[in-house]
Amino acid sequence: MSLSPTILSVPAPEGLSARCLEASAVVVSNTPVNGEYRLLVLDAPREALNCQPGQFFQLLCPAPEGEHPFLRRPMSIYGYDAESGRLQFLYKVAGAGTRGLATLCAGDSLNVLGPLGQGFSMPEEWQNLMLVARGVGLATLAPLAREAQARGRRLTAICSARRPELAMSVELFRDYGAEVIVVHDEDGSSTPEALRPLIEARIAAGQVDAFYTCGSSRLLRLLQDLGRTHGIPGEIAMEQQMACGLGMCQACVRPFRVGERVIQRRVCREGPVFPIAEAM
């Protein structure tokens, strides 16, 4: 019997966006993309695909043999298309939840909750965008690159990895019209010291109006310093351990600097996207 995606009738918590839905999606494929990451493609209900770049879903991972994941796993959106009904996640097998995801085969069903959180913005004055990220952080920026192409923005994507063959989404960014620069640890090109003059040369040429990043603390600190020096704003999608993903459990609270004050925010609810300058 063939499966089809369905919407489950579950009341939304108070204050949760009406766009957030619990749905049963169907696995289209679940395949390796390199030695570390896998791509999960789902057939999802159209109602669950009203997404923004930077948002995430909570996945109810199947239990691998002998293990019992207790909570849903938050997963940033790698790709979404309401017309085709496709929802994509790029993940690394690292724990019980992702080991469970790796057991999924075409035709299996997967319970997903989302889209959740606040996504990236793209003000009109940000015409020249620089995306800088490392590893799976690049997956979070892929929908942003697609949106930037649709809006006619100029893109530069700096893709960092431990080795060149592990750089994620290089061809995808090129397909979205980005100038792609691959840096890696083996030759030292991925260090902040090596990246600084590379980025500053493009700033001097008027090719950077805003930064976007995800994940890496050292890349965040570099972009914060460059932003302060050159007056360039930007946004970061924060990575944080989560429990509910809905803002109720307070498990993902972390500090942010706003002016002279340090305030606490929930990454799942007020984020996961925040101004780069405020992240700590």
Side-chain angles (χ1 to χ4, degrees):
M1 181 178 66
S2 62
L3 295 174
S4 60
T6 58
I7 295 290
L8 305 180
S9 179
V10 177
E14 183 178 357
L16 191 63
S17 169
R19 295 185 301 152
C20 169
L21 297 166
E22 184 177 18
S24 178
V26 179
V27 176
V28 175
S29 60
N30 187 18
T31 54
V33 295
N34 60 29
E36 291 191 339
Y37 293 93
R38 299 179 65 89
L39 175 62
L40 175 63
V41 181
L42 303 175
D43 185 13
R46 186 185 184 96
E47 294 87 342
L49 293 171
N50 186 14
C51 305
Q52 290 180 297
Q55 290 186 299
F56 68 98
F57 277 78
Q58 290 279 85
L59 308 184
L60 188 60
C61 302
E65 185 175 355
E67 298 183 273
H68 303 282
F70 182 65
L71 299 169
R72 290 176 180 264
R73 293 300 186 268
M75 194 75 64
S76 61
I77 302 167
Y78 183 58
Y80 60 92
D81 189 332
E83 292 301 319
S84 65
R86 291 295 187 263
L87 179 62
Q88 300 180 6
F89 299 99
L90 195 65
Y91 67 98
K92 181 178 181 178
V93 178
T98 46
R99 281 192 290 272
L101 285 182
T103 68
L104 291 170
C105 299
D108 290 345
S109 62
L110 178 67
N111 182 285
V112 301
L113 176 66
L116 296 166
Q118 308 299 319
F120 291 108
S121 67
M122 199 180 298
E124 185 63 28
E125 60 269 24
W126 295 5
Q127 291 294 316
N128 300 285
L129 313 180
M130 177 169 280
L131 284 54
V132 188
R134 181 176 173 89
V136 77
L138 290 160
T140 303
L141 300 180
L144 174 70
R146 177 185 175 186
E147 181 69 17
Q149 183 190 46
R151 296 193 189 189
R153 309 297 169 92
R154 186 183 186 279
L155 279 173
T156 302
I158 299 179
C159 303
S160 178
R162 287 188 290 111
R163 302 191 303 275
E165 66 272 17
L166 296 178
M168 305 297 297
S169 308
V170 169
E171 292 306 318
L172 184 65
F173 286 128
R174 286 187 177 131
D175 289 343
Y176 291 147
E179 175 199 7
V180 177
I181 302 167
V182 177
V183 297
H184 54 91
D185 298 351
E186 287 189 341
D187 67 357
S189 58
S190 63
T191 67
E193 294 76 18
L195 287 171
R196 182 181 294 272
L198 185 153
I199 296 172
E200 287 189 320
R202 282 160 176 77
I203 294 172
Q207 297 175 1
V208 185
D209 297 328
F211 294 125
Y212 292 92
T213 191
C214 176
S216 169
S217 295
R218 68 176 186 173
L219 289 179
L220 168 63
R221 290 192 294 270
L222 172 63
L223 296 179
Q224 284 178 326
D225 186 45
L226 289 169
R228 285 191 298 267
T229 301
H230 299 282
I232 296 175
E235 294 182 341
I236 178 172
M238 305 292 289
E239 294 181 341
Q240 186 76 6
Q241 289 186 334
M242 298 180 188
C244 71
L246 305 175
M248 296 183 292
C249 72
Q250 312 291 314
C252 63
V253 170
R254 64 182 295 164
F256 292 84
R257 186 174 299 280
V258 181
E260 299 300 317
R261 299 167 52 229
V262 174
I263 65 173
Q264 305 296 319
R265 289 172 172 163
R266 299 164 295 180
V267 171
C268 74
R269 196 76 176 98
E270 285 77 54
V273 175
F274 298 93
I276 282 179
E278 296 179 2
M280 297 178 65

